[in-house]
Amino acid sequence: MRILILSLGFFIIAIPVWTQDNQMRAPTDRTAPNGIFGGPVLKVTEINNVFGLIVGGRGGWICGHTFIIGGGLYGLLRDVEVDDAGAERNFEFAYSGLELEYIILPRQVIHLSVQTLIGFGALTDRERHFDRFASFNNFDGPDDSFFIVEPGLNLMWNMKTHLRVGLGGSYRFIRGVGLEGLSNSDLSGLSTTVIFKFGRF
């Protein structure tokens, strides 16, 4: 949390002078009212008291350079370890959903955006998953599912005409976890986010 606040503070305080000199050259395509984008997203977070890396991607439609409607898909690179009735089980953690974003002053080289993901996620027992795959049985769904809302704030840099890079923070609100030994609060939490957007803005 401290690292996130310090990083955002540095960008907000140190870059405005540079931005004023370059705002007329901001690489925003002003000829088209709408655009599209896609790109990878990295999130450093703590899940079930262990730090991990969430990787994924998102894309969407940009209306009037300011409003985005799209979707995202994310997964945790490490397993979530759960003590289930004395036996340790490892679960794959993933989620996806609708993403809405509002861009503040998009023509500025450095600008802010606020976004929210609303969707669903799944916890899948890794051992059972591979057993089903190896025996070619049909996979009958995850071991548990949950509802997620993840609002966030991003500081974006119009790096090139068709590239945006951002640093941000988000918070996962998770509800509906029903596994023994695991609660909603174990999966909820803050993330520090690195964002790449490729497209027509």
Side-chain angles (χ1 to χ4, degrees):
M1 180 64 177
R2 230 177 256 176
I3 295 174
L4 172 62
I5 293 173
L6 289 174
S7 300
L8 289 175
F10 171 78
F11 278 101
I12 292 172
I13 294 172
I15 295 181
V17 173
W18 179 83
T19 304
Q20 289 177 1
D21 295 335
N22 291 275
Q23 63 182 358
M24 298 306 296
R25 300 194 299 273
T28 301
D29 181 3
R30 305 180 188 181
T31 60
N34 303 314
I36 57 172
F37 82 95
V41 179
L42 306 176
K43 302 181 181 184
V44 180
T45 188
E46 184 179 0
I47 292 182
N48 200 21
N49 299 316
V50 178
F51 279 97
L53 180 65
I54 294 176
V55 298
R58 61 182 298 242
W61 176 63
I62 309 169
C63 179
H65 305 294
T66 58
F67 182 74
I68 294 176
I69 180 169
L73 175 64
Y74 307 96
L76 183 66
L77 288 187
R78 56 168 292 272
D79 292 339
V80 178
E81 298 178 357
V82 180
D83 184 4
D84 186 1
E88 184 178 285
R89 299 173 66 188
N90 296 324
F91 290 88
E92 297 174 338
F93 172 87
Y95 63 95
S96 63
L98 171 71
E99 290 195 288
L100 304 175
E101 182 175 3
Y102 181 76
I103 305 171
I104 303 169
L105 300 176
R107 295 180 180 178
Q108 302 293 319
V109 176
I110 304 295
H111 58 270
L112 293 172
S113 74
V114 291
Q115 71 177 79
T116 299
L117 177 143
I118 304 172
F120 293 91
L123 290 160
T124 305
D125 188 297
R126 179 174 288 278
E127 184 176 349
R128 290 177 59 197
H129 176 82
F130 281 112
D131 285 346
R132 290 172 181 141
F133 179 79
S135 61
F136 298 99
N137 291 330
N138 292 328
F139 181 61
D140 56 4
D143 294 87
D144 196 15
S145 59
F146 53 84
F147 175 72
I148 178 171
V149 176
E150 187 176 22
L153 174 66
N154 308 311
L155 187 66
M156 302 299 301
W157 175 23
N158 292 354
M159 188 174 183
K160 297 290 184 181
T161 302
H162 300 292
L163 172 62
R164 306 287 184 265
V165 179
L167 174 67
S170 63
Y171 191 92
R172 295 182 312 278
F173 294 95
I174 288 179
R175 295 293 180 268
V177 175
L179 288 174
E180 184 176 349
L182 195 67
S183 66
N184 294 323
S185 60
D186 292 329
L187 300 182
S188 300
L190 288 166
S191 295
T192 299
T193 308
V194 179
I195 305 162
F196 299 91
K197 294 180 179 179
F198 300 90
R200 183 176 183 179
F201 303 96

